Amino acid sequence: MKIAVIGLGSMGKRRIRLMQGSFPEIELVGIDGRADRQSEVEEIYNISCFSSLTEAWTSDLNGVVISTSPLSHEAIIKEALHLNVHVFTEINLLNHYYDEVMALANEKKLHLYLSSTFLHRKEIAYMAERIMEDQKVTYRYHVGQYLADWHPWESYKDFFVSHKETNGCREIFAIELPWLTTVFGDIVSAEVNHSKISNLEIDYPDTYSVLLKHESGITGTLNVNIVSRIAKRELEIIGESTQIEWRGTPDSLEEWSHEAKQMQAVSLYDTFEHQEGYAKNIIEDAYLEEIKEYIALLRGDIQDTKYSFEQDKKVIDWIHTFEEGI
């Protein structure tokens, strides 16, 4: 099997490192328009690198992993499909082209795989199981991190979060809503307030407060911001029979014990991998599980995946609604 990783920034290098560690039999090539990134990846990972997919394409190329800015995804996805190559893409923040690429992939019998990393976290699966048992709950969830700290090695003005179409709050929503709608059900209504309270040089809101109602009947509050100087991911699920708290890290999941009459730790990981330089709630394990699922899909070992373009289209439609501030 041969896979091309397109975009050799931090995420592209992560995907290469994970595939080399778990699938050494797969031949990898790298693609990036920047010569310095090509040279770096060739030296570190000992793979061939090219400046474009057209230059890298050979008849034995099975798939691509698109790790570029979301603004570039549409063109690359279409190019890959026209070259009869299966597609894995990081989260998309625009969905105006979804119908077109889904139709093209179906016509060519090619796979479209969309990243949704948190759906591969053990904590999410655990909470989904609990909510299936007890839907008489509500929740409050806060996610925030100061935008200038997202990529400490570069200015926030120099990557896609500086653009209104692919802004920082939109990315947080695109990360969180897939698992929230999986655990609590599709969204049926929302009440939204947003504002800009920082001095960040951006032309979009930096703070959102959203009241959500799900088709399950569960309601919850979702607070998203890009101004929190301490990276936050704090969830509380509250019910008469269920109380769960989670701070986003593998060792922070707690659940109320009726026997002990107190919150107790829930241990789901024997070990986990964290890459230095990222927030503590970002672990490598879930990224690897996505890669495993994609490769299983390409090998024909599975037919269905945890997330799809169809589901994501609904999620991004809701993000548009949030930005309109209904």
Side-chain angles (χ1 to χ4, degrees):
M1 183 178 292
K2 183 176 180 180
I3 293 176
V5 178
I6 306 175
L8 302 179
S10 59
M11 185 60 79
K13 287 195 281 286
R14 167 185 273 149
R15 297 299 186 184
I16 291 170
R17 177 171 49 78
L18 291 173
M19 281 190 282
Q20 283 192 332
S22 294
F23 299 96
E25 73 280 8
I26 293 178
E27 180 185 355
L28 298 177
V29 297
I31 300 172
D32 199 293
R34 285 176 46 174
D36 60 327
R37 286 183 173 175
Q38 292 180 44
S39 299
E40 178 189 21
V41 167
E42 284 177 339
E43 181 178 350
I44 295 174
Y45 300 104
N46 193 31
I47 65 174
S48 299
C49 291
F50 304 88
S51 60
S52 70
L53 178 56
T54 302
E55 182 184 347
W57 184 85
T58 55
S59 59
D60 61 343
L61 183 64
N62 303 100
V64 296
V65 172
I66 302 172
S67 297
T68 59
S69 162
L71 286 171
S72 65
H73 287 183
E74 177 182 4
I76 299 171
I77 291 170
K78 289 178 179 178
E79 182 182 12
L81 293 175
H82 282 297
L83 290 171
N84 294 306
V85 176
H86 301 290
V87 171
F88 174 116
T89 178
E90 310 292 353
I91 61 170
N92 292 319
L93 302 181
L94 306 169
N95 68 7
H96 62 270
Y97 56 89
Y98 274 22
D99 289 339
E100 182 181 357
V101 298
M102 286 189 292
L104 181 59
N106 184 61
E107 174 190 334
K108 290 179 167 287
K109 296 181 172 54
L110 294 169
H111 295 299
L112 284 174
Y113 185 98
L114 183 57
S115 169
S116 186
T117 309
F118 269 78
L119 281 173
H120 294 266
R121 291 284 294 261
K122 294 180 180 180
E123 302 95 321
I124 303 304
Y126 184 87
M127 289 186 280
E129 183 179 335
R130 289 295 181 268
I131 299 308
M132 286 182 64
E133 296 170 358
D134 178 15
Q135 293 201 342
K136 294 182 178 180
V137 298
T138 185
Y139 68 89
R140 62 177 184 85
Y141 189 31
H142 170 214
V143 184
Q145 184 179 3
Y146 190 50
L147 188 67
D149 295 337
W150 285 25
H151 286 187
W153 55 88
E154 64 181 340
S155 169
Y156 65 86
K157 302 175 189 177
D158 295 335
F159 72 111
F160 65 84
V161 294
S162 64
H163 299 286
K164 189 173 184 178
E165 299 90 340
T166 54
N167 68 74
C169 288
R170 174 173 273 252
E171 183 179 33
I172 293 175
F173 281 127
I175 292 170
E176 306 298 339
L177 287 176
W179 80 259
L180 286 171
T181 53
T182 297
V183 172
F184 299 112
D186 285 343
I187 300 166
V188 294
S189 65
E191 297 178 26
V192 184
N193 284 289
H194 58 57
S195 60
K196 184 175 185 294
I197 63 173
S198 73
N199 292 317
L200 291 165
E201 295 181 45
I202 54 177
D203 61 350
Y204 57 84
D206 56 29
T207 304
Y208 282 79
S209 295
V210 186
L211 174 62
L212 295 172
K213 183 175 182 180
H214 299 267
E215 64 179 4
S216 61
I218 294 172
T219 60
T221 57
L222 174 59
N223 294 304
V224 164
N225 70 74
I226 52 172
V227 298
S228 179
R229 302 310 294 256
I230 301 173
K232 293 281 188 179
R233 181 174 270 111
E234 296 179 340
L235 172 69
E236 189 172 17
I237 301 173
I238 304 160
E240 189 174 16
S241 301
T242 302
Q243 181 93 15
I244 296 173
E245 295 180 2
W246 184 48
R247 296 184 298 281
T249 60
D251 57 357
S252 64
L253 184 65
E254 295 184 338
E255 185 173 25
W256 175 259
S257 168
H258 294 282
E259 293 76 17
K261 304 298 182 185
Q262 63 181 10
M263 299 295 287
Q264 293 188 333
V266 178
S267 179
L268 300 175
Y269 296 85
D270 294 326
T271 61
F272 59 88
E273 184 180 350
H274 171 73
Q275 189 175 15
E276 196 64 34
Y278 287 88
K280 291 181 179 180
N281 54 40
I282 298 177
I283 62 172
E284 300 294 280
D285 305 60
Y287 292 104
L288 176 57
E289 290 305 312
E290 288 184 301
I291 290 293
K292 288 179 178 179
E293 189 177 46
Y294 178 53
I295 291 172
L297 191 66
L298 267 55
R299 287 175 170 168
D301 297 335
I302 61 171
Q303 299 299 319
D304 297 315
T305 57
K306 291 181 182 293
Y307 197 58
S308 68
F309 272 63
E310 290 87 351
Q311 291 168 287
D312 199 59
K313 192 172 191 297
K314 293 190 290 185
V315 163
I316 298 182
D317 283 344
W318 275 110
I319 297 173
H320 281 301
T321 299
F322 297 167
E323 290 179 338
E324 292 169 1
I326 59 170

